[in-house]
Amino acid sequence: MTKRILTTKQEIADYWKDAIDTNQTNVTYKNATSHCWRCGVKKRLDRCHIRAFSLGGKDEPGNFILLCKHCHIDNPNVEDISIIWDWLHAYKFDDEKPYWYHQGVREYEYIYNESIESHLSRYHIEIREQFDKLLEETLKDVAHHFGQPRNNRATVAGAIKITLNKLDEIEDNYEQK
């Protein structure tokens, strides 16, 4: 039988307010009970144990963080509280790009063994801004898996590849002129 968690999401957010306010997560305190602390997506959140009940974890605000179901499945399941904060901080991005964009870039680099910047450096003109706009358009033509609220990393990596292929065509046309 699953033990019912009595600690509320608001109690968890209040407990970790200082960590949230010092940019240790991808949310602000204002959004801490509605957006996943790892990926930032607005979704129903799970109260995720830092130290599992089976490892002696308690039903208290300091033993939980708030994650979407996907990130809850991915989180480290270990006793050391610093590990989960290291994990959250590792996925904190200071730019305006969403978490899944960065994950797609990592996946692209893994699949194609090349960075986007390396690929773009082959062009005769600076087109990073054009790449960003074209990628945004390409991402409008992809689908989410099973009703997920965001694209998965492989989909984003595929959209990056499609976008770079389109830019290669533009570059080929430029060279032929």
Side-chain angles (χ1 to χ4, degrees):
M1 183 171 146
T2 303
K3 189 172 182 177
R4 180 168 149 56
I5 298 172
L6 301 176
T7 302
T8 68
K9 293 174 184 176
Q10 188 61 57
E11 289 172 328
I12 296 165
D14 290 344
Y15 182 89
W16 293 113
K17 184 179 187 309
D18 289 341
I20 294 166
D21 284 346
T22 56
N23 293 321
Q24 298 298 309
T25 67
N26 274 318
V27 297
T28 61
Y29 176 73
K30 177 183 171 188
N31 295 327
T33 60
S34 60
H35 291 70
C36 178
W37 293 11
R38 179 188 184 212
C39 71
V41 71
K42 184 177 182 178
K43 188 83 172 151
R44 186 187 72 77
L45 302 177
D46 292 346
R47 289 167 286 184
C48 172
H49 293 94
I50 295 172
R51 185 174 190 205
F53 283 134
S54 63
L55 297 174
K58 306 229 183 290
D59 185 349
E60 54 191 31
N63 190 40
F64 295 99
I65 59 172
L66 300 175
L67 301 173
C68 69
K69 183 143 313 279
H70 177 83
C71 291
H72 191 173
I73 292 167
D74 282 350
N75 89 85
N77 196 14
V78 297
E79 287 189 52
D80 187 340
I81 192 171
S82 68
I83 302 295
I84 203 154
W85 285 101
D86 291 345
W87 177 74
L88 285 171
H89 191 67
Y91 290 96
K92 172 72 175 113
F93 298 103
D94 294 326
D95 61 20
E96 295 298 316
K97 303 266 192 236
Y99 163 84
W100 285 104
Y101 169 81
H102 291 281
Q103 292 306 300
V105 168
R106 287 180 182 176
E107 187 78 358
Y108 172 84
E109 291 174 357
Y110 180 77
I111 294 169
Y112 298 103
N113 199 28
E114 177 182 45
S115 72
I116 294 170
E117 283 69 27
S118 174
H119 190 106
L120 293 176
S121 71
R122 298 195 299 249
Y123 301 130
H124 288 95
I125 56 173
E126 171 57 44
I127 59 168
R128 180 60 197 221
E129 190 174 307
Q130 189 176 358
F131 167 80
D132 289 340
K133 288 178 183 175
L134 192 54
L135 177 60
E136 192 174 311
E137 291 300 314
T138 303
L139 285 168
K140 290 178 183 176
D141 294 332
V142 301
H144 297 171
H145 281 277
F146 308 109
Q148 290 294 312
R150 68 206 145 338
N151 296 313
N152 68 25
R153 68 187 76 195
T155 301
V156 175
I160 289 169
K161 180 65 174 165
I162 290 166
T163 302
L164 289 171
N165 288 345
K166 290 176 185 177
L167 290 174
D168 286 345
E169 289 177 24
I170 293 169
E171 177 69 4
D172 289 345
N173 290 335
Y174 174 80
E175 288 179 352
Q176 291 175 6
K177 288 181 180 181

